[in-house]
């Protein structure tokens, strides 16, 4: 499993060797522990604090001074076994096994006394994060004893301000300190990754992702109960793609309590994330305006929209971004209320444009030519919730959905619709002269040529940011997440792989001839854009 050291390495390589301006990651929020842990980064325990599973333990300064070298060797050997299982045996990423090894190593690291400078930095971090960190660490310590759903804890512990919780915190202070230490170490490595990106010449650096909500049994929902609507869940109303609507199982913030507090939890959340982000992507940015609330036990069709003070939410967002010198990107895909995109644009918040969705919906419905795209956006060919470009071009995404019973119509009909959609785009790419056969001496296949043409197209748009889905660079055909599935598909557990499905290391990725062919396309087009 990749770690924050790998993120810094990827950013350094992408900035120095490729001339990339940013690296975007999915949310790195703290997950809810469990067996197995929910692998989705969009259902976290806490959005305020990052997950220590992403730590590179070897980069923690105290690691070099651990006295139990035999135990260290055993843990490193276990890490090697996990790596070999993924790279050589085709195993999925096992987050729980990774964390088991890392946690054991971090327990050893904690036995090493901090030097005076490191201790002073840790004390400063504790003072800076205050009660929020203590609450988070207390939840983590209590979860080790009572399980990861606070709503099933002994009644007195369900209230973070109760005498029972204060007593338990004192009894578990050693574990509370351990989890505070993990948050500090993770924050430091995240900051180092952003610093590495900027030192590599990236004008933006790491683009972090803010999930739309938190797990109802997690740390944030426990510590901030007064701000969450009890008995409610965030979701989506019925639409053309899902007639039953959606229930995401995430408790919504109460707009009245947010306003009464001067939006303190929201402000603190943004400030914490911007500390190590060159840009922040806001998942489902429409949630700053309104959210679909679904009463507990009711179908999503029984929900209703609840409005937030968008003026205040946006003002705080852009203020904190300006203080950090960071960019804000709103994920505004799907059903968007009239006026929302205009409000976001007027405040400098970029939107999200995905090639396959950019059609003239108010006219003939055909693919939108590049000059007609909006400028204030991050433009990409795909996202983590959509098929890779190779899968879309070959139609393999239809076959995958059919094998999992997710198609809404007959297979032949779905194949024909997908082929017609792709065919219209390829016809436009050909008409614009973007389909070519080779680049930089690397003879490419028809599929590679079409992927390169897609990115030549993106470079012709006025979009301020152009993103490349990393698996597209090496021909990976598998989606990282397949909406509508739970255990039917290995969501969020697939390592990046080549066109044959063989997992790739970061070193192999950097040496991929296919990726470099795409890089040359991007370099040439980017030069003309500037």
């Amino acid at each position: 499993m990749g770690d924050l050291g790998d993120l810094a390495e990827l950013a350094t390589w992408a900035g120095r060797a490729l001339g990339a301006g940013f690296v975007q990651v999915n949310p790195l929020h703290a997950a809810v522990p469990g067996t197995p842990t929910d692998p989705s980064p969009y259902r976290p325990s806490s959005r305020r604090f990052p997950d220590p599973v992403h730590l590179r333990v070897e980069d923690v300064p105290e690691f070099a001074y651990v006295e139990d070298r035999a135990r260290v060797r055993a843990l490193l050997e276990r890490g090697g076994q996990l790596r070999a299982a993924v790279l050589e045996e085709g195993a999925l990423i096992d987050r729980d096994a990774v964390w088991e090894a890392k946690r054991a190593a971090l327990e050893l690291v904690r036995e090493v006394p901090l030097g005076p400078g490191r201790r002073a930095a840790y004390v400063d971090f504790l003072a800076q994060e205050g009660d929020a960190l203590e609450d988070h660490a207390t939840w983590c310590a209590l979860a080790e004893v009572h399980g990861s759903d606070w709503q099933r804890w002994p009644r007195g512990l369900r209230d973070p301000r109760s005498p029972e919780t204060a007593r338990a915190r004192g009894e578990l202070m050693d574990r509370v300190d351990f989890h505070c230490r993990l948050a500090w170490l993770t924050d430091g490595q995240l900051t180092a990754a952003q610093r590495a990106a900027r030192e590599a010449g990236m004008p933006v650096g790491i683009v972090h992702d803010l999930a739309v909500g938190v797990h109802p049994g997690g740390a944030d929902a426990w510590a901030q109960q007064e701000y969450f609507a009890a008995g409610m869940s965030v979701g989506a109303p019925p639409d053309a793609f899902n007639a039953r609507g959606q229930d995401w199982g995430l408790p919504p913030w109460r707009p009245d309590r947010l306003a009464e507090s001067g939006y303190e939890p929201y402000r603190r959340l943004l400030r914490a994330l911007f500390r190590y982000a060159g840009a922040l992507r806001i998942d489902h940015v429409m949630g700053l305006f309104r959210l679909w609330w679904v009463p507990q036990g009711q179908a999503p069709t029984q929900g209703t929209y609840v409005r937030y003070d968008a003026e205040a939410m946006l003002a705080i967002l852009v203020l904190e971004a300006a203080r950090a010198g960071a960019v804000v990107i709103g994920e505004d895909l799907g059903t968007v209320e009239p006026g929302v995109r205009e409000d976001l644009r007027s405040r400098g918040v970029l939107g999200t444009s995905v090639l396959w969705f950019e059609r003239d919906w108010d006219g003939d419905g055909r693919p939108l030519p590049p000059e007609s795209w909006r400028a204030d956006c991050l433009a990409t060919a795909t996202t983590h919730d959509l098929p890779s470009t190779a899968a879309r071009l070959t139609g393999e995404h239809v076959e995958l959905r059919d094998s999992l019973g997710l198609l809404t119509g007959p297979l032949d009909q779905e194949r024909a619709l997908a082929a017609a959609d792709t065919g219209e785009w390829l016809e436009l790419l050909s008409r614009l002269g973007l389909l070519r056969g080779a680049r930089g001496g690397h003879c490419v296949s028809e599929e590679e040529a079409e992927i390169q043409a897609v990115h030549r197209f993106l470079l012709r748009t006025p979009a301020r940011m152009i993103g490349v889905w990393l698996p597209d660079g090496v021909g990976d055909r598998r989606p990282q997440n397949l909406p509508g599935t739970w255990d039917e598909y290995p969501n969020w557990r697939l390592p990046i792989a080549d066109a044959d499905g063989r997992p790739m290391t970061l070193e192999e990725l950097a040496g991929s001839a296919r990726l470099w062919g795409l890089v040359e396309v991007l370099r040439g087009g980017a030069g003309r854009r500037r």
Side-chain angles (χ1 to χ4, degrees):
M1 176 177 169
D3 58 32
L4 294 175
D6 292 313
L7 177 59
E9 190 77 19
L10 175 64
T12 298
W13 168 71
R16 294 186 184 279
L18 309 186
F22 65 95
V23 171
Q24 181 179 335
V25 294
N26 287 125
L28 301 184
H29 306 321
V32 177
T35 306
T37 299
D38 185 344
S40 172
Y42 291 95
R43 196 171 156 82
S45 171
S46 174
R47 298 187 294 174
R48 170 78 180 269
F49 296 100
D51 198 319
V53 75
H54 301 298
L55 278 171
R56 174 171 288 184
V57 181
E58 299 91 325
D59 285 355
V60 176
E62 290 74 31
F63 179 77
Y65 301 98
V66 172
E67 293 184 356
D68 191 347
R69 304 313 297 176
R71 181 64 175 144
V72 168
R73 284 193 295 273
L75 290 169
L76 292 175
E77 181 180 346
R78 176 57 176 150
Q81 292 169 350
L82 291 169
R83 175 184 172 91
V86 171
L87 293 177
E88 299 169 17
E89 302 168 22
L92 299 173
I93 293 172
D94 188 340
R95 181 193 185 99
D96 296 320
V98 169
W99 177 234
E100 181 183 357
K102 287 190 178 185
R103 181 176 58 191
L106 289 163
E107 297 278 8
L108 293 174
V109 167
R110 185 164 171 259
E111 296 175 2
V112 179
L114 294 174
R118 292 271 292 163
R119 175 155 293 281
Y122 179 44
V123 170
D124 280 351
F125 181 78
L126 293 175
Q128 172 184 285
E129 298 304 315
D131 292 343
L133 176 59
E134 186 173 82
D135 285 343
H136 174 72
T138 299
W139 181 91
C140 293
L142 289 171
E144 292 178 341
V145 178
H146 301 288
S148 57
D149 185 354
W150 64 269
Q151 298 172 82
R152 297 178 179 272
W153 291 354
R155 185 169 300 278
L157 299 180
R158 298 175 197 172
D159 179 359
R161 308 290 169 245
S162 71
E164 292 88 346
T165 297
R167 184 166 52 251
R169 181 185 291 116
E171 295 169 353
L172 297 170
M173 187 51 66
D174 183 68
R175 299 309 298 166
V176 172
D177 179 71
F178 176 67
H179 290 288
C180 286
R181 184 86 63 96
L182 295 183
W184 173 57
L185 294 175
T186 312
D187 182 88
Q189 290 195 7
L190 283 164
T191 302
Q194 171 63 2
R195 184 168 58 248
R198 296 301 295 269
E199 289 175 352
M202 288 187 171
V204 175
I206 310 299
V207 180
H208 284 278
D209 198 337
L210 175 61
V212 70
V214 295
H215 194 287
D220 283 1
W222 176 73
Q224 301 175 15
Q225 291 177 48
E226 66 268 33
Y227 297 111
F228 287 99
M232 292 289 171
S233 175
V234 174
D239 56 28
F241 300 99
N242 193 326
R244 293 174 294 181
Q246 300 177 56
D247 183 346
W248 301 334
L250 308 171
W253 262 340
R254 286 182 51 165
D256 56 337
R257 294 284 175 81
L258 282 178
E260 290 168 3
S261 72
Y263 294 87
E264 181 183 12
Y266 175 58
R267 189 188 306 274
R268 287 180 173 272
L269 169 61
L270 293 174
R271 195 166 295 174
L273 293 172
F274 278 126
R275 187 164 61 237
Y276 44 72
L280 186 63
R281 173 190 177 271
I282 311 295
D283 186 42
H284 192 69
V285 72
M286 297 82 78
L288 299 181
F289 295 77
R290 65 178 185 177
L291 282 172
W292 185 258
W293 286 23
V294 181
Q296 187 174 4
Q298 299 295 316
T301 54
Q302 301 302 307
T304 188
Y305 275 118
V306 174
R307 291 200 170 275
Y308 292 77
D309 187 341
E311 188 76 22
M313 301 284 277
L314 284 173
I316 293 168
L317 174 61
V318 298
L319 174 62
E320 294 300 333
R323 284 174 169 168
V327 177
V328 179
I329 303 162
E331 188 267 305
D332 56 352
L333 302 174
T335 302
V336 183
E337 188 181 12
V340 166
R341 289 194 173 107
E342 292 75 13
D343 283 348
L344 294 172
R345 186 173 62 248
S346 70
R347 290 165 175 80
V349 178
L350 302 184
T352 301
S353 293
V354 178
L355 182 128
W356 309 101
F357 298 158
E358 291 296 313
R359 289 175 171 269
D360 183 9
W361 299 113
D362 295 327
D364 58 13
R366 296 187 61 80
L368 206 61
E371 65 273 9
S372 298
W373 283 42
R374 55 179 170 169
D376 298 313
C377 73
L378 163 62
T380 63
T382 190
T383 74
H384 58 258
D385 283 334
L386 297 173
S388 69
T389 305
R392 191 178 288 274
L393 290 170
T394 59
E396 290 187 23
H397 65 302
V398 177
E399 306 297 332
L400 174 61
R401 292 180 64 82
D402 177 61
S403 69
L404 297 172
L406 298 176
L407 294 184
T408 57
L411 175 59
D412 289 344
Q413 179 182 341
E414 296 285 348
R415 280 177 179 156
L417 289 171
D421 180 80
T422 302
E424 288 186 343
W425 278 104
L426 291 175
E427 189 274 331
L428 175 59
L429 297 176
S430 178
R431 181 156 37 89
L432 294 174
L434 301 177
L435 280 167
R436 305 164 196 169
R439 186 78 185 184
H442 171 57
C443 185
V444 302
S445 65
E446 180 180 356
E447 176 191 297
E448 287 180 71
E450 290 171 351
I451 292 175
Q452 290 181 3
V454 163
H455 289 87
R456 287 192 187 95
F457 180 94
L458 292 177
L459 288 166
R460 285 201 178 186
T461 72
R464 292 180 183 273
M465 298 175 73
I466 304 293
V468 179
W469 179 236
L470 200 53
D472 277 352
V474 292
D476 198 341
R477 283 166 162 70
R478 308 160 307 168
Q480 185 58 226
N481 180 53
L482 192 59
T485 62
W486 178 246
D487 56 2
E488 305 93 332
Y489 185 80
N491 295 317
W492 307 110
R493 290 174 289 164
L494 293 169
I496 190 169
D498 62 17
D500 297 320
R502 184 182 65 86
M504 300 180 72
T505 64
L506 183 56
E507 292 76 15
E508 290 171 330
L509 186 77
S512 166
R514 178 167 178 156
L515 177 61
W516 277 100
L518 181 57
V519 167
E520 290 303 310
V521 167
L522 294 164
R523 279 176 162 172
R528 286 191 294 274
R529 275 171 60 94
R530 281 194 289 270

